[in-house]
Amino acid sequence: MKEKIWLSPPHLSGLELGYIQSALDSNWVAPEGPNIHLFEQKLESYLGDNSYCVALQSGTSAIHLALIMLGVKRGDEVLCQSFTFSASANPIVYQGAIPVFIDSEPDSWNMCPDLLEEAINDRISKGKTIKAIIVVHLYGMPAKMDEISAIALKYNIPVIEDAAEALGSTYKGRMCGTLGDLGILSFNGNKIITTSGGGALICKTKKEKEYSTFLSTQARDSAPHFQHSEIGYNYRMSNISAGIGCGQMEVLKDHITARRQLNQLYREFFSTLEGIQIFSEPDSNYYSNHWLTAIVIDEQKLGFSREDVRLHLEKENIESRPLWKPMHLQPVFSDAPYYVGQVAENLFIKGLCLPSGSNLSSDDFLRIKESFLSLF
Ligand SMILES: *Cc1c(COP(=O)(O)O)cnc(C)c1O
């Protein structure tokens, strides 16, 4: 069996070791220590736009804290993009709130502004309280933020940007994650950079950063004994993980360059194959990190279905994956209200993510190409 080609494996640079070593040498082996603050600083200077970052254990915990910061409580509703990973929506349920799912539009594959406004009006007419909007930049592609922000402003609903997949992507020259009221990032093993597992909350003010840090470290009041006036969480990133993150920040730009170059190679290859359409930036306002390269398969034209292609690649030990199954089709969310057309459902049926790692070799790429050609 040939060696497995993974969809999006971790890509370490070697620079991580120095930071981990210093954590061990200084005995900061805890969810506190210099690497955490340094990692936050590195993120803040990379993101710019007066962003204040809080390093956490996961992107999921960052979304949970964002909802808590916005006062989301039992019975409230949160509008969430349906076409996403379940982690975008699960924390809504942790809060006892109700997710309401919104379909995507075909250009960015992200939240459809028209359906968003329709949903807001309908929920309001039903007497519901909408506390937040969660918009996702899927596969690194920025959502239609101008339209979404204008609607959010009109109805005075805060926006949480799930930029878990979009570190380094920009919309009209501005970093994804800094465009909403709060943003989140993920550093899971498969993301554009990793801390082995981790995430960050991106705030607009120092005060929000301090408050969310406080919540993430068990909400301890300042007192010599342990005193608590609020429910806290154990969500802080460890100093070891943050060390991996510090090393990864030094190569983030290289990772983005590599993923974009790989996307370009796929683009050239598929331009010769009728029936395969590669997911592309709608116009120059959108700059994607191309975390994952995604294709849409026209079974009529290609002569093979998405599943035919996936299984064919799998036989050659090449990992690929169907696009996200929309949340409104998930058994666990079968009771949730939704406002959808056919966009996400169609993408789920026809779409496939291809190996996209920043460490994918040219030999790997050749194998992938040959595997596609051997379909015919
Ligand atoms: C990975 C991911 C998350 C969750 O991040 P974790 O760090 O794995 O908890 C949330 N939303 C999206 C869109 C993701 O891809």
Side-chain angles (χ1 to χ4, degrees):
M1 190 60 139
K2 283 184 196 145
E3 208 178 313
K4 178 149 181 166
I5 300 178
W6 298 92
L7 196 70
S8 182
H11 182 189
L12 295 177
S13 64
L15 298 165
E16 298 81 10
L17 265 177
Y19 295 98
I20 298 171
Q21 192 62 50
S22 77
L24 298 176
D25 290 345
S26 61
N27 207 31
W28 279 110
V29 184
E32 178 52 283
N35 283 340
I36 300 175
H37 303 287
L38 182 61
F39 182 47
E40 287 176 345
Q41 267 172 28
K42 283 174 179 281
L43 283 170
E44 286 163 2
S45 63
Y46 179 78
L47 292 169
D49 264 346
N50 290 322
S51 54
Y52 293 86
C53 295
V54 182
L56 300 167
Q57 279 174 8
S58 66
T60 311
S61 54
I63 297 175
H64 191 195
L65 283 187
L67 294 168
I68 294 165
M69 299 275 291
L70 296 176
V72 174
K73 297 206 171 65
R74 186 161 299 278
D76 291 337
E77 293 195 343
V78 175
L79 306 184
C80 181
Q81 185 165 321
S82 182
F83 191 44
T84 187
F85 177 45
S86 65
S88 305
N90 284 338
I92 302 169
V93 182
Y94 303 166
Q95 281 307 94
I98 297 153
V100 176
F101 293 113
I102 315 286
D103 206 344
S104 292
E105 49 76 30
D107 301 332
S108 69
W109 293 5
N110 291 310
M111 186 178 274
C112 170
D114 297 338
L115 281 173
L116 172 66
E117 186 155 24
E118 186 188 317
I120 293 172
N121 283 318
D122 192 51
R123 299 324 286 168
I124 292 173
S125 77
K126 291 186 161 77
K128 306 295 183 184
T129 310
I130 307 165
K131 279 289 186 66
I133 297 165
I134 300 177
V135 58
V136 190
H137 307 297
L138 222 52
Y139 306 118
M141 187 65 73
K144 291 198 164 165
M145 286 308 290
D146 274 357
E147 290 87 337
I148 290 164
S149 302
I151 295 165
L153 198 65
K154 180 172 163 192
Y155 295 91
N156 199 20
I157 306 170
V159 173
I160 299 169
E161 261 183 291
D162 180 345
E165 303 175 359
L167 177 57
S169 297
T170 65
Y171 175 77
K172 297 194 170 173
R174 291 174 61 203
M175 288 281 179
C176 287
T178 68
L179 306 165
D181 295 87
L182 292 167
I184 75 97
L185 298 168
S186 168
F187 313 113
N188 211 324
N190 59 344
K191 299 288 161 52
I192 194 117
I193 60 165
T194 186
T195 58
S196 76
L201 180 66
I202 307 167
C203 304
K204 285 278 176 291
T205 64
K206 191 157 174 265
K207 220 171 125 191
E208 287 170 338
K209 171 170 172 165
E210 283 165 358
Y211 182 56
S212 48
T213 306
F214 162 82
L215 289 176
S216 75
T217 49
Q218 306 287 23
R220 282 184 65 185
D221 295 344
S222 63
H225 52 275
F226 278 78
Q227 174 160 309
H228 308 274
S229 313
E230 282 182 71
I231 295 295
Y233 301 83
N234 184 5
Y235 279 174
R236 195 71 163 134
M237 182 179 278
S238 90
N239 194 55
I240 305 265
S241 298
I244 302 177
C246 289
Q248 291 270 286
M249 280 308 287
E250 296 188 31
V251 291
L252 169 59
K253 284 186 177 146
D254 301 337
H255 284 198
I256 295 170
T257 303
R259 293 210 188 224
R260 284 182 55 87
Q261 274 170 354
L262 180 59
N263 181 268
Q264 186 57 35
L265 290 176
Y266 276 122
R267 193 168 298 279
E268 284 157 19
F269 175 56
F270 291 128
S271 67
T272 62
L273 282 185
E274 180 132 28
I276 293 184
Q277 216 194 343
I278 190 162
F279 182 34
S280 306
E281 287 134 333
D283 60 53
S284 61
N285 289 324
Y286 299 76
Y287 179 89
S288 171
N289 65 13
H290 287 303
W291 173 59
L292 293 186
T293 286
I295 55 172
V296 176
I297 291 166
D298 183 333
E299 188 175 347
Q300 300 301 324
K301 284 193 193 146
L302 190 71
F304 297 96
S305 69
R306 190 280 311 280
E307 209 41 20
D308 293 335
V309 175
R310 192 187 69 79
L311 290 170
H312 180 76
L313 291 169
E314 189 176 82
K315 261 193 283 171
E316 317 235 347
N317 217 12
I318 298 167
E319 185 182 28
S320 66
R321 192 174 296 157
L323 301 186
W324 298 120
K325 179 170 183 175
M327 291 305 114
H328 70 274
L329 300 179
Q330 297 287 355
V332 73
F333 293 124
S334 59
D335 292 339
Y338 55 82
Y339 296 81
V340 303
Q342 292 298 309
V343 175
E345 292 194 31
N346 261 320
L347 288 169
F348 171 57
I349 293 165
K350 297 180 184 164
L352 193 66
C353 294
L354 299 176
S356 303
S358 41
N359 45 3
L360 192 117
S361 70
S362 48
D363 282 352
D364 291 342
F365 186 69
L366 210 62
R367 253 178 73 195
I368 296 166
K369 262 191 353 189
E370 279 165 0
S371 175
F372 268 94
L373 292 173
S374 69
L375 252 179
F376 306 104

